[in-house]
């Protein structure tokens, strides 16, 4: 039986009345698509065909254009624009934009959909219209406005909860076993989920994921879990790297204003998830209560030039992805495992917009990657790179795999990947279940240095590669 489940069962009776979230709000209408910006580089919109005041029209669906007739689509220079057309009434329709030589396959059946994409490589106002003869004149025409410059940075007034991926302790120096004190607090706070969107997070130390804890095998770990007075919930911590009841969760259920202490011995090297284990455990995890504990082997890990700390999770909100303003948690969607958001380090495109990973050509980088979840396995991949060493399952006692493209990491699991960077450029961290990239799950690794054209260059092979 998984630890969290046993903790759940043993605590459910005691805690059920105090810690179960309020029932879900009324479900929103299922949204076929969302009009939103997904970084400085992409914007997507959904248009549904219909009739308004006796004319054939496009009707905006989701986000800022919801319900608008022939909405003006606002995008920024350089963005990739994606328009999904949904057939609303069962007559043949299509979308065309002459200025960008973009059109989609026509949709005929009611409910059928088709998508077009183009790059907004010029500034100005342009027209989209229905490609079926006569429909433009009948009313199916709208504007696309391409504005100069990039989309504004994150500007929610709520504080940032993103854990900087470089925020982790350096490798440990050799020495005798130590007693390591770990202080964890559990603040609940309204934080920025996206540019104009906020969410009530529950955290370890005000960031998602929680702090990266680094010890060596044989160390004794003394955990002080302090739940602030102004918390609403009980919180706790289950260390997957600990051996004992609930991974420590049985000893750390802390009421608001309480501090609980548990001590465990780090017996086995590995990279381990820790998370809050107070019912509903899945609710505490989705709200941000997860982190990683690294138990280094006796001799440490091979040294690399840069280390990064990245974790994946998903969020369940009442309103669909891309909605503006404070978002409420949806318990029913969580039970149904239907998230609206997928995130690295807590917020939409946190590692693309706000905290990209940075390195230089020739360096070897290591990513400590874990999945808080609570529910979705990640197919972790870095677009444009190959992992040179993969410690599958974050087992540090095993020989790493070599030459791996994508690694599967379950909820409550982790992996360590190393790779040397041979060429400058922008590499992209994704879960290769790529629909999730359109729900916020995206990161960049920006590599500076000379471009090695022998490894990749545009055009035909060179006579004498350099
Ligand atoms: Cu909690």
């Amino acid at each position: 039986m998984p630890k969290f489940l046993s903790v759940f069962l043993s605590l459910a009776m005691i805690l059920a009345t105090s810690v179960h979230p309020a029932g879900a709000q009324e479900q929103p209408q299922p949204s076929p698509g969302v009009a939103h910006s997904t970084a400085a580089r992409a914007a997507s919109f959904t248009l549904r065909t219909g009739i308004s005041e006796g004319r054939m029209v496009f009707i905006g669906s989701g986000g800022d254009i919801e319900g608008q007739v022939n909405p003006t689509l606002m995008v920024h220079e350089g963005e990739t624009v994606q328009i999904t057309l949904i057939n609303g009434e069962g007559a043949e329709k299509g979308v065309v934009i002459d200025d960008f030589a973009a059109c989609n396959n026509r949709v005929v059946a009611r409910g059928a959909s088709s998508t077009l994409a183009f790059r907004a490589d010029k500034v100005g106002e342009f027209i989209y219209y229905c490609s079926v003869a006569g429909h433009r004149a009948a009313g199916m025409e709208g504007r696309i406005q391409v504005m100069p410059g990039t989309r504004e940075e994150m500007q929610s007034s709520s504080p940032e909860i993103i854990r900087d991926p470089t925020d982790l302790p350096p490798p440990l120096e050799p020495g005798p076993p130590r007693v390591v004190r770990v202080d964890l607090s559990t603040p609940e706070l309204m934080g920025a989920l996206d540019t104009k969107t906020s969410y009530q997070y529950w955290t370890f130390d005000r960031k998602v994921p929680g702090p990266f804890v680094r010890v060596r095998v044989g160390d004794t770990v003394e955990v002080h879990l302090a739940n602030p007075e102004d918390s609403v919930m009980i919180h706790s911590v289950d260390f997957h790297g600990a051996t004992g009841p609930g991974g420590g969760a049985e000893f750390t259920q802390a009421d608001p204003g309480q501090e609980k202490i548990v001590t465990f011995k780090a017996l086995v090297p590995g990279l381990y998830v820790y998370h809050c284990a107070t019912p509903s455990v899945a609710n505490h995890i989705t709200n941000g209560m997860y982190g990683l504990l690294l138990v280094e082997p006796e001799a440490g890990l091979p040294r690399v030039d840069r280390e990064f700390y990245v974790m994946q999770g998903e969020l369940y909100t009442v309103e669909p992805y891309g909605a503006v303003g404070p978002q409420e948690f949806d318990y029913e969607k969580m039970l149904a495992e239907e998230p609206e958001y997928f995130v690295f380090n807590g917020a939409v495109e946190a590692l693309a917009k706000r905290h990209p990973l940075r390195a230089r050509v020739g360096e070897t980088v290591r990513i400590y990657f874990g999945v808080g979840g609570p529910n979705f396995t990640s197919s972790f991949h870095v677009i444009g790179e190959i992992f040179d060493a993969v410690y599958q399952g974050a087992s540090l006692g095993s020989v790493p795999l070599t030459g791996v493209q994508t690694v599967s990491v379950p909820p409550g699991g982790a992996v360590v990947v190393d790779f040397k960077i041979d060429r400058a450029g922008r590499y992209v961290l994704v879960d290769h279940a790529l629909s999730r990239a359109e729900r916020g799950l995206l990161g960049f690794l920006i590599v500076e240095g000379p471009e090695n054209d022998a490894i990749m260059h545009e055009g035909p092979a060179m006579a004498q590669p350099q």
Side-chain angles (χ1 to χ4, degrees), residues 317-331:
T317 55
V318 174
E319 291 201 69
Y321 178 82
V324 169
Q327 300 302 306
E328 288 181 287
F329 168 68
D330 190 320
Y331 192 66

Side-chain angles (χ1 to χ4, degrees), residues 29-376:
Q29 291 301 308
S31 168
V34 182
H36 64 276
S37 67
T38 63
R41 310 198 57 80
S44 64
F45 304 93
T46 301
L47 300 174
R48 183 179 283 277
T49 64
I51 303 290
S52 174
E53 297 178 347
R55 300 160 64 226
M56 290 193 282
V57 295
F58 296 107
I59 301 167
S61 181
D64 295 340
I65 60 168
E66 172 68 35
Q68 290 180 24
V69 171
N70 293 333
T72 297
L73 310 179
M74 309 286 278
V75 305
H76 284 260
E77 184 181 10
E79 288 179 334
T80 298
V81 182
Q82 180 178 310
I83 300 174
T84 300
L85 180 70
I86 298 175
N87 192 320
E89 77 281 62
E92 185 171 6
K93 305 288 180 196
V95 180
V96 62
I97 307 157
D98 291 333
D99 297 283
F100 295 100
C103 69
N104 66 352
N105 293 320
R106 288 186 183 173
V107 288
V108 179
R110 188 189 160 115
S113 69
S114 169
T115 297
L116 68 81
F118 64 93
R119 192 169 154 81
D121 54 6
K122 51 195 162 194
V123 172
E125 196 168 271
F126 308 98
I127 302 291
Y128 66 88
Y129 60 91
C130 182
S131 56
V132 177
H135 287 194
R136 180 178 185 178
M140 300 192 74
E141 169 181 295
R143 277 183 255 270
I144 296 176
Q145 188 133 23
V146 182
M147 294 168 283
T150 56
R151 198 170 288 267
E152 64 239 9
E153 290 283 280
M154 214 178 251
Q155 51 170 216
S156 166
S157 58
S158 300
E160 179 179 308
I161 53 77
I162 302 163
R163 174 77 57 188
D164 188 316
T166 62
D167 183 9
L168 72 168
L172 300 170
E173 296 304 326
R178 310 165 300 162
V179 176
V180 181
R181 175 172 168 148
V182 175
D183 282 285
L184 290 175
S185 65
T186 58
E188 302 163 358
L189 71 152
M190 188 62 85
L193 170 59
D194 197 357
T195 312
K196 295 172 182 169
T197 307
S198 55
Y199 184 76
Q200 179 72 24
Y201 289 91
W202 301 343
T203 68
F204 291 110
D205 290 8
R206 309 188 77 81
K207 300 287 181 196
V208 181
F212 190 96
V213 182
R214 190 163 199 157
V215 302
R216 189 191 297 106
V217 67
D219 285 349
T220 298
V221 186
E222 183 182 294
V223 180
H224 293 240
L225 185 86
N227 192 356
E229 292 234 336
D230 61 358
S231 285
V232 174
M233 311 304 286
I234 297 169
H235 296 295
S236 59
V237 63
D238 168 351
F239 280 92
H240 290 187
T243 304
E250 291 212 358
F251 304 112
T252 54
Q253 299 293 331
D255 287 325
Q258 267 191 330
E259 178 180 312
K260 292 291 180 75
I261 303 171
V262 67
T263 301
F264 66 87
K265 196 143 190 181
L267 297 176
V268 184
L271 178 66
Y272 300 100
V273 169
Y274 67 84
H275 62 87
C276 182
T278 301
S280 152
V281 179
N283 184 5
H284 285 249
I285 290 174
T286 185
N287 282 3
M289 301 195 76
Y290 48 84
L292 289 178
L293 161 71
L294 175 63
V295 180
E296 289 193 4
E298 185 77 42
L301 288 169
R303 292 298 171 103
V304 293
D305 298 302
R306 291 177 197 267
E307 295 186 322
F308 298 103
Y309 175 26
V310 179
M311 286 192 82
Q312 176 170 331
E314 73 270 355
L315 284 117
Y316 302 82
T317 55
V318 174
E319 291 201 69
Y321 178 82
V324 169
Q327 300 302 306
E328 288 181 287
F329 168 68
D330 190 320
Y331 192 66
E332 295 300 324
K333 281 189 191 171
M334 185 188 75
L335 292 185
E337 301 186 19
E338 292 170 353
E340 293 293 340
Y341 292 82
F342 287 87
V343 291
F344 289 137
N345 290 20
V348 170
E349 296 177 359
L351 306 184
K353 289 190 212 177
R354 302 288 290 175
H355 295 282
L357 287 60
R358 293 180 188 278
R360 293 192 60 79
V361 169
E363 290 180 333
T364 299
V365 304
R366 172 172 295 149
I367 301 175
Y368 296 105
F369 180 81
V371 176
N375 297 319
F376 281 75

